[in-house]
Amino acid sequence: MISALFKAFAQLSDPRMRRVLRIGILSALACWATLAVVAALVVKHTHFFDESWADAGTGFALGAIGVVVPVLFFSALSTFVMSFFLEDIAEVVESRHYPDLGPSRRPGWREILVSSTRFLVVMVAVTMLAAPVYLALLFFGLGLILNYLVNGYLLGREYYELVAGRRLTPDQVRAQLHLHFTKLWLSGAVINFLFQVPLLNLAAPVLGTAFMVHVAQSLPPAPPPEQVPA
């Protein structure tokens, strides 16, 4: 996995990778800024209490929450935005490192939209449900562990499905996820780490996709479709 990560970083100099990176970063930041502005406007035009100090304090707290909360979901938001371009990243990586693979199945926009929306919903739901647990475990130093356990699984599964689904049937993808659960979870934990590093998290979806292409190619071949249990 270390070699796969180094290869992903090394290819960031590719103009095609940088183009997707620019589009994804600007789009994700625009979405975050829009959410923050909307939250600020709602707070500004909403009256909470008759006392001015209580109203001002509540407005400030809610405004801060409106700015900070979207940051908690930045990994899901940026992945959703960039998911419409990550197919191009996978092709760039394969054309350079695995030219003998041949053309892959290119998913349509509807398929990408459905899978990206599903992942966004799952990521947000899990983050919201786990938030109280994160806070409770924070006092015991276990919140970080839970973060990597949950997000490692989600990101590993999502990025592998994105990459492997271009060349394998859905049943083969599920079989590989089951057979190589530990390695793919650890790969998801690596991608989760990329999302935790300031500034680097802006490039995490692109790096995660390139990284997962190498991880997928390092796995033993998937069983033929006819041998995959239904």
Side-chain angles (χ1 to χ4, degrees):
M1 284 192 290
I2 294 176
S3 174
L5 192 60
F6 276 120
K7 289 178 181 178
F9 272 98
Q11 204 166 354
L12 279 180
S13 60
D14 190 305
R16 294 169 293 179
M17 298 269 278
R18 292 202 302 267
R19 173 181 171 274
V20 174
L21 192 57
R22 285 195 299 269
I23 293 174
I25 289 175
L26 292 175
S27 300
L29 288 177
C31 290
W32 174 81
T34 300
L35 290 173
V37 169
V38 169
L41 289 175
V42 169
V43 170
K44 181 179 179 180
H45 294 90
T46 303
H47 184 68
F48 299 100
F49 298 102
D50 292 330
E51 272 62 349
S52 59
W53 64 270
D55 188 67
T58 303
F60 176 79
L62 292 178
I65 291 173
V67 173
V68 173
V69 167
V71 175
L72 300 177
F73 301 102
F74 188 83
S75 60
L77 181 61
S78 57
T79 298
F80 176 76
V81 172
M82 291 192 194
S83 62
F84 296 96
F85 309 99
L86 295 184
E87 169 68 22
D88 297 329
I89 296 299
E91 283 192 0
V92 169
V93 175
E94 288 182 348
S95 65
R96 175 174 175 178
H97 294 277
Y98 312 100
D100 296 333
L101 288 177
S104 65
R105 181 187 70 85
R106 192 172 183 90
W109 280 88
R110 171 180 283 185
E111 183 178 346
I112 295 175
L113 179 61
V114 169
S115 63
S116 301
T117 303
R118 180 199 66 205
F119 175 67
L120 179 65
V121 170
V122 171
M123 193 80 169
V124 170
V126 169
T127 302
M128 292 179 66
L129 290 174
V133 183
Y134 288 153
L135 293 175
L137 293 180
L138 185 62
F139 295 100
F140 302 98
L142 300 177
L144 186 63
I145 296 176
L146 181 62
N147 177 276
Y148 276 87
L149 285 174
V150 174
N151 288 344
Y153 168 73
L154 288 174
L155 291 169
R157 184 187 70 180
E158 180 65 20
Y159 277 84
Y160 180 73
E161 288 181 349
L162 168 74
V163 169
R166 303 166 62 251
R167 298 186 177 278
L168 303 178
T169 66
D171 287 340
Q172 287 177 308
V173 172
R174 284 192 291 271
Q176 289 290 77
L177 284 169
H178 176 72
L179 291 172
H180 309 288
F181 173 84
T182 301
K183 185 170 186 176
L184 292 174
W185 172 78
L186 289 174
S187 298
V190 171
I191 296 174
N192 185 52
F193 172 76
L194 298 177
F195 275 110
Q196 307 303 314
V197 181
L199 297 182
L200 184 60
N201 61 356
L202 299 175
V206 170
L207 287 170
T209 301
F211 167 70
M212 189 57 78
V213 170
H214 296 298
V215 171
Q217 291 302 315
S218 72
L219 298 178
E226 61 272 11
Q227 296 182 14
V228 177

mmCIF file of all heavy atoms in Angstrom, residues 194-228:
data_model
loop_
_atom_site.group_PDB
_atom_site.id
_atom_site.type_symbol
_atom_site.label_atom_id
_atom_site.label_comp_id
_atom_site.label_asym_id
_atom_site.label_seq_id
_atom_site.Cartn_x
_atom_site.Cartn_y
_atom_site.Cartn_z
ATOM 1 N N LEU A 194 -5.819 10.921 4.487
ATOM 2 C CA LEU A 194 -5.623 12.010 3.529
ATOM 3 C C LEU A 194 -6.662 13.108 3.747
ATOM 4 O O LEU A 194 -6.364 14.295 3.585
ATOM 5 C CB LEU A 194 -5.723 11.480 2.097
ATOM 6 C CG LEU A 194 -4.683 10.436 1.673
ATOM 7 C CD1 LEU A 194 -4.971 9.959 0.250
ATOM 8 C CD2 LEU A 194 -3.268 10.994 1.779
ATOM 9 N N PHE A 195 -7.875 12.704 4.120
ATOM 10 C CA PHE A 195 -8.940 13.675 4.360
ATOM 11 C C PHE A 195 -8.737 14.442 5.674
ATOM 12 O O PHE A 195 -9.350 15.487 5.865
ATOM 13 C CB PHE A 195 -10.297 12.970 4.398
ATOM 14 C CG PHE A 195 -10.912 12.762 3.045
ATOM 15 C CD1 PHE A 195 -11.005 11.494 2.496
ATOM 16 C CD2 PHE A 195 -11.408 13.834 2.318
ATOM 17 C CE1 PHE A 195 -11.584 11.287 1.260
ATOM 18 C CE2 PHE A 195 -11.981 13.636 1.073
ATOM 19 C CZ PHE A 195 -12.071 12.363 0.538
ATOM 20 N N GLN A 196 -7.910 13.921 6.557
ATOM 21 C CA GLN A 196 -7.715 14.565 7.862
ATOM 22 C C GLN A 196 -6.636 15.642 7.841
ATOM 23 O O GLN A 196 -6.551 16.452 8.761
ATOM 24 C CB GLN A 196 -7.336 13.520 8.921
ATOM 25 C CG GLN A 196 -8.284 12.345 9.034
ATOM 26 C CD GLN A 196 -9.712 12.747 9.321
ATOM 27 O OE1 GLN A 196 -9.952 13.575 10.188
ATOM 28 N NE2 GLN A 196 -10.658 12.165 8.596
ATOM 29 N N VAL A 197 -5.804 15.643 6.803
ATOM 30 C CA VAL A 197 -4.676 16.574 6.746
ATOM 31 C C VAL A 197 -5.115 17.865 6.065
ATOM 32 O O VAL A 197 -5.567 17.827 4.913
ATOM 33 C CB VAL A 197 -3.486 15.962 5.977
ATOM 34 C CG1 VAL A 197 -2.306 16.950 5.950
ATOM 35 C CG2 VAL A 197 -3.076 14.643 6.612
ATOM 36 N N PRO A 198 -5.031 19.006 6.743
ATOM 37 C CA PRO A 198 -5.431 20.279 6.128
ATOM 38 C C PRO A 198 -4.714 20.516 4.799
ATOM 39 O O PRO A 198 -3.532 20.188 4.647
ATOM 40 C CB PRO A 198 -5.006 21.323 7.179
ATOM 41 C CG PRO A 198 -5.014 20.566 8.472
ATOM 42 C CD PRO A 198 -4.556 19.179 8.128
ATOM 43 N N LEU A 199 -5.438 21.072 3.850
ATOM 44 C CA LEU A 199 -4.982 21.347 2.482
ATOM 45 C C LEU A 199 -4.845 20.065 1.666
ATOM 46 O O LEU A 199 -5.331 19.997 0.535
ATOM 47 C CB LEU A 199 -3.655 22.118 2.475
ATOM 48 C CG LEU A 199 -3.695 23.516 3.117
ATOM 49 C CD1 LEU A 199 -2.337 24.198 3.001
ATOM 50 C CD2 LEU A 199 -4.768 24.383 2.473
ATOM 51 N N LEU A 200 -4.210 19.057 2.221
ATOM 52 C CA LEU A 200 -4.108 17.789 1.496
ATOM 53 C C LEU A 200 -5.483 17.179 1.294
ATOM 54 O O LEU A 200 -5.714 16.474 0.304
ATOM 55 C CB LEU A 200 -3.211 16.814 2.265
ATOM 56 C CG LEU A 200 -2.931 15.459 1.592
ATOM 57 C CD1 LEU A 200 -2.242 15.650 0.245
ATOM 58 C CD2 LEU A 200 -2.090 14.579 2.513
ATOM 59 N N ASN A 201 -6.419 17.463 2.225
ATOM 60 C CA ASN A 201 -7.761 16.897 2.084
ATOM 61 C C ASN A 201 -8.472 17.397 0.836
ATOM 62 O O ASN A 201 -9.417 16.771 0.356
ATOM 63 C CB ASN A 201 -8.598 17.173 3.336
ATOM 64 C CG ASN A 201 -8.782 18.656 3.600
ATOM 65 O OD1 ASN A 201 -8.241 19.512 2.901
ATOM 66 N ND2 ASN A 201 -9.540 18.966 4.640
ATOM 67 N N LEU A 202 -8.022 18.523 0.289
ATOM 68 C CA LEU A 202 -8.624 19.022 -0.947
ATOM 69 C C LEU A 202 -8.313 18.109 -2.127
ATOM 70 O O LEU A 202 -9.087 18.031 -3.080
ATOM 71 C CB LEU A 202 -8.125 20.439 -1.242
ATOM 72 C CG LEU A 202 -8.464 21.501 -0.187
ATOM 73 C CD1 LEU A 202 -7.809 22.823 -0.548
ATOM 74 C CD2 LEU A 202 -9.965 21.666 -0.054
ATOM 75 N N ALA A 203 -7.165 17.450 -2.058
ATOM 76 C CA ALA A 203 -6.766 16.546 -3.143
ATOM 77 C C ALA A 203 -7.083 15.093 -2.818
ATOM 78 O O ALA A 203 -6.814 14.204 -3.631
ATOM 79 C CB ALA A 203 -5.271 16.692 -3.416
ATOM 80 N N ALA A 204 -7.657 14.827 -1.638
ATOM 81 C CA ALA A 204 -7.866 13.459 -1.175
ATOM 82 C C ALA A 204 -8.701 12.603 -2.130
ATOM 83 O O ALA A 204 -8.356 11.438 -2.354
ATOM 84 C CB ALA A 204 -8.494 13.467 0.221
ATOM 85 N N PRO A 205 -9.805 13.109 -2.709
ATOM 86 C CA PRO A 205 -10.569 12.250 -3.623
ATOM 87 C C PRO A 205 -9.762 11.793 -4.835
ATOM 88 O O PRO A 205 -9.853 10.638 -5.255
ATOM 89 C CB PRO A 205 -11.748 13.146 -4.038
ATOM 90 C CG PRO A 205 -11.905 14.105 -2.916
ATOM 91 C CD PRO A 205 -10.507 14.381 -2.448
ATOM 92 N N VAL A 206 -8.959 12.704 -5.397
ATOM 93 C CA VAL A 206 -8.140 12.350 -6.562
ATOM 94 C C VAL A 206 -7.043 11.371 -6.157
ATOM 95 O O VAL A 206 -6.821 10.349 -6.814
ATOM 96 C CB VAL A 206 -7.525 13.617 -7.194
ATOM 97 C CG1 VAL A 206 -6.483 13.250 -8.243
ATOM 98 C CG2 VAL A 206 -8.616 14.466 -7.824
ATOM 99 N N LEU A 207 -6.350 11.684 -5.058
ATOM 100 C CA LEU A 207 -5.300 10.787 -4.577
ATOM 101 C C LEU A 207 -5.883 9.434 -4.175
ATOM 102 O O LEU A 207 -5.277 8.380 -4.443
ATOM 103 C CB LEU A 207 -4.589 11.420 -3.380
ATOM 104 C CG LEU A 207 -3.663 12.598 -3.679
ATOM 105 C CD1 LEU A 207 -3.230 13.276 -2.378
ATOM 106 C CD2 LEU A 207 -2.439 12.135 -4.454
ATOM 107 N N GLY A 208 -7.060 9.453 -3.537
ATOM 108 C CA GLY A 208 -7.693 8.218 -3.111
ATOM 109 C C GLY A 208 -8.044 7.320 -4.283
ATOM 110 O O GLY A 208 -7.878 6.099 -4.219
ATOM 111 N N THR A 209 -8.522 7.918 -5.369
ATOM 112 C CA THR A 209 -8.870 7.133 -6.548
ATOM 113 C C THR A 209 -7.626 6.522 -7.181
ATOM 114 O O THR A 209 -7.597 5.332 -7.512
ATOM 115 C CB THR A 209 -9.591 8.016 -7.580
ATOM 116 O OG1 THR A 209 -10.768 8.561 -6.993
ATOM 117 C CG2 THR A 209 -9.986 7.201 -8.805
ATOM 118 N N ALA A 210 -6.588 7.350 -7.372
ATOM 119 C CA ALA A 210 -5.345 6.845 -7.952
ATOM 120 C C ALA A 210 -4.747 5.742 -7.074
ATOM 121 O O ALA A 210 -4.298 4.701 -7.569
ATOM 122 C CB ALA A 210 -4.349 7.989 -8.117
ATOM 123 N N PHE A 211 -4.753 5.965 -5.774
ATOM 124 C CA PHE A 211 -4.243 4.979 -4.820
ATOM 125 C C PHE A 211 -5.018 3.677 -4.917
ATOM 126 O O PHE A 211 -4.435 2.578 -4.954
ATOM 127 C CB PHE A 211 -4.334 5.576 -3.419
ATOM 128 C CG PHE A 211 -4.151 4.597 -2.296
ATOM 129 C CD1 PHE A 211 -2.910 4.029 -2.039
ATOM 130 C CD2 PHE A 211 -5.215 4.256 -1.470
ATOM 131 C CE1 PHE A 211 -2.733 3.133 -0.989
ATOM 132 C CE2 PHE A 211 -5.046 3.368 -0.424
ATOM 133 C CZ PHE A 211 -3.801 2.802 -0.182
ATOM 134 N N MET A 212 -6.356 3.761 -4.986
ATOM 135 C CA MET A 212 -7.177 2.557 -5.012
ATOM 136 C C MET A 212 -7.021 1.784 -6.322
ATOM 137 O O MET A 212 -7.174 0.547 -6.344
ATOM 138 C CB MET A 212 -8.641 2.905 -4.772
ATOM 139 C CG MET A 212 -9.537 1.693 -4.561
ATOM 140 S SD MET A 212 -9.023 0.611 -3.179
ATOM 141 C CE MET A 212 -9.636 1.542 -1.782
ATOM 142 N N VAL A 213 -6.715 2.467 -7.420
ATOM 143 C CA VAL A 213 -6.452 1.758 -8.676
ATOM 144 C C VAL A 213 -5.268 0.807 -8.485
ATOM 145 O O VAL A 213 -5.308 -0.360 -8.893
ATOM 146 C CB VAL A 213 -6.164 2.741 -9.828
ATOM 147 C CG1 VAL A 213 -5.649 1.983 -11.058
ATOM 148 C CG2 VAL A 213 -7.418 3.512 -10.203
ATOM 149 N N HIS A 214 -4.217 1.303 -7.855
ATOM 150 C CA HIS A 214 -3.040 0.464 -7.609
ATOM 151 C C HIS A 214 -3.365 -0.672 -6.638
ATOM 152 O O HIS A 214 -2.901 -1.804 -6.818
ATOM 153 C CB HIS A 214 -1.896 1.315 -7.070
ATOM 154 C CG HIS A 214 -1.393 2.351 -8.022
ATOM 155 N ND1 HIS A 214 -0.835 2.029 -9.246
ATOM 156 C CD2 HIS A 214 -1.372 3.714 -7.948
ATOM 157 C CE1 HIS A 214 -0.478 3.141 -9.875
ATOM 158 N NE2 HIS A 214 -0.807 4.167 -9.107
ATOM 159 N N VAL A 215 -4.145 -0.372 -5.607
ATOM 160 C CA VAL A 215 -4.527 -1.410 -4.637
ATOM 161 C C VAL A 215 -5.343 -2.500 -5.335
ATOM 162 O O VAL A 215 -5.106 -3.694 -5.127
ATOM 163 C CB VAL A 215 -5.330 -0.804 -3.469
ATOM 164 C CG1 VAL A 215 -5.913 -1.911 -2.577
ATOM 165 C CG2 VAL A 215 -4.455 0.120 -2.635
ATOM 166 N N ALA A 216 -6.304 -2.085 -6.165
ATOM 167 C CA ALA A 216 -7.157 -3.048 -6.866
ATOM 168 C C ALA A 216 -6.331 -3.958 -7.770
ATOM 169 O O ALA A 216 -6.603 -5.160 -7.872
ATOM 170 C CB ALA A 216 -8.218 -2.309 -7.677
ATOM 171 N N GLN A 217 -5.335 -3.378 -8.429
ATOM 172 C CA GLN A 217 -4.505 -4.177 -9.318
ATOM 173 C C GLN A 217 -3.578 -5.127 -8.559
ATOM 174 O O GLN A 217 -3.072 -6.090 -9.132
ATOM 175 C CB GLN A 217 -3.682 -3.265 -10.227
ATOM 176 C CG GLN A 217 -4.501 -2.514 -11.260
ATOM 177 C CD GLN A 217 -5.283 -3.450 -12.164
ATOM 178 O OE1 GLN A 217 -4.773 -4.455 -12.650
ATOM 179 N NE2 GLN A 217 -6.554 -3.119 -12.383
ATOM 180 N N SER A 218 -3.354 -4.846 -7.271
ATOM 181 C CA SER A 218 -2.491 -5.713 -6.467
ATOM 182 C C SER A 218 -3.237 -6.916 -5.899
ATOM 183 O O SER A 218 -2.608 -7.861 -5.403
ATOM 184 C CB SER A 218 -1.868 -4.915 -5.310
ATOM 185 O OG SER A 218 -2.848 -4.609 -4.314
ATOM 186 N N LEU A 219 -4.566 -6.911 -5.979
ATOM 187 C CA LEU A 219 -5.356 -8.018 -5.456
ATOM 188 C C LEU A 219 -5.323 -9.201 -6.423
ATOM 189 O O LEU A 219 -5.169 -9.015 -7.635
ATOM 190 C CB LEU A 219 -6.806 -7.585 -5.242
ATOM 191 C CG LEU A 219 -7.062 -6.462 -4.236
ATOM 192 C CD1 LEU A 219 -8.553 -6.132 -4.202
ATOM 193 C CD2 LEU A 219 -6.566 -6.832 -2.848
ATOM 194 N N PRO A 220 -5.475 -10.421 -5.911
ATOM 195 C CA PRO A 220 -5.597 -11.577 -6.807
ATOM 196 C C PRO A 220 -6.804 -11.396 -7.731
ATOM 197 O O PRO A 220 -7.771 -10.720 -7.365
ATOM 198 C CB PRO A 220 -5.814 -12.747 -5.843
ATOM 199 C CG PRO A 220 -5.241 -12.278 -4.541
ATOM 200 C CD PRO A 220 -5.496 -10.798 -4.495
ATOM 201 N N PRO A 221 -6.756 -11.965 -8.931
ATOM 202 C CA PRO A 221 -7.881 -11.816 -9.862
ATOM 203 C C PRO A 221 -9.197 -12.251 -9.230
ATOM 204 O O PRO A 221 -9.247 -13.191 -8.433
ATOM 205 C CB PRO A 221 -7.496 -12.734 -11.032
ATOM 206 C CG PRO A 221 -6.002 -12.837 -10.949
ATOM 207 C CD PRO A 221 -5.671 -12.790 -9.486
ATOM 208 N N ALA A 222 -10.255 -11.544 -9.581
ATOM 209 C CA ALA A 222 -11.589 -11.883 -9.069
ATOM 210 C C ALA A 222 -12.031 -13.213 -9.666
ATOM 211 O O ALA A 222 -11.652 -13.550 -10.794
ATOM 212 C CB ALA A 222 -12.583 -10.790 -9.420
ATOM 213 N N PRO A 223 -12.829 -13.992 -8.928
ATOM 214 C CA PRO A 223 -13.340 -15.243 -9.486
ATOM 215 C C PRO A 223 -14.232 -14.969 -10.690
ATOM 216 O O PRO A 223 -14.869 -13.918 -10.761
ATOM 217 C CB PRO A 223 -14.142 -15.832 -8.320
ATOM 218 C CG PRO A 223 -14.474 -14.675 -7.443
ATOM 219 C CD PRO A 223 -13.314 -13.741 -7.571
ATOM 220 N N PRO A 224 -14.249 -15.875 -11.673
ATOM 221 C CA PRO A 224 -15.125 -15.688 -12.831
ATOM 222 C C PRO A 224 -16.569 -15.469 -12.385
ATOM 223 O O PRO A 224 -16.987 -16.006 -11.345
ATOM 224 C CB PRO A 224 -14.965 -16.996 -13.616
ATOM 225 C CG PRO A 224 -13.648 -17.549 -13.176
ATOM 226 C CD PRO A 224 -13.501 -17.135 -11.737
ATOM 227 N N PRO A 225 -17.347 -14.737 -13.161
ATOM 228 C CA PRO A 225 -18.743 -14.448 -12.756
ATOM 229 C C PRO A 225 -19.552 -15.684 -12.422
ATOM 230 O O PRO A 225 -20.354 -15.680 -11.494
ATOM 231 C CB PRO A 225 -19.313 -13.720 -13.983
ATOM 232 C CG PRO A 225 -18.115 -13.093 -14.630
ATOM 233 C CD PRO A 225 -16.983 -14.049 -14.405
ATOM 234 N N GLU A 226 -19.326 -16.775 -13.169
ATOM 235 C CA GLU A 226 -20.132 -17.971 -12.939
ATOM 236 C C GLU A 226 -19.781 -18.668 -11.634
ATOM 237 O O GLU A 226 -20.536 -19.518 -11.157
ATOM 238 C CB GLU A 226 -19.975 -18.955 -14.100
ATOM 239 C CG GLU A 226 -18.554 -19.462 -14.329
ATOM 240 C CD GLU A 226 -17.753 -18.551 -15.246
ATOM 241 O OE1 GLU A 226 -18.233 -17.429 -15.529
ATOM 242 O OE2 GLU A 226 -16.657 -18.963 -15.666
ATOM 243 N N GLN A 227 -18.611 -18.328 -11.039
ATOM 244 C CA GLN A 227 -18.201 -18.955 -9.789
ATOM 245 C C GLN A 227 -18.497 -18.106 -8.567
ATOM 246 O O GLN A 227 -18.200 -18.494 -7.443
ATOM 247 C CB GLN A 227 -16.696 -19.264 -9.826
ATOM 248 C CG GLN A 227 -16.316 -20.283 -10.881
ATOM 249 C CD GLN A 227 -14.820 -20.615 -10.863
ATOM 250 O OE1 GLN A 227 -14.131 -20.284 -9.904
ATOM 251 N NE2 GLN A 227 -14.338 -21.249 -11.927
ATOM 252 N N VAL A 228 -19.059 -16.916 -8.788
ATOM 253 C CA VAL A 228 -19.375 -16.032 -7.675
ATOM 254 C C VAL A 228 -20.723 -16.429 -7.099
ATOM 255 O O VAL A 228 -21.719 -16.515 -7.841
ATOM 256 C CB VAL A 228 -19.413 -14.565 -8.134
ATOM 257 C CG1 VAL A 228 -19.817 -13.674 -6.969
ATOM 258 C CG2 VAL A 228 -18.051 -14.156 -8.666
#
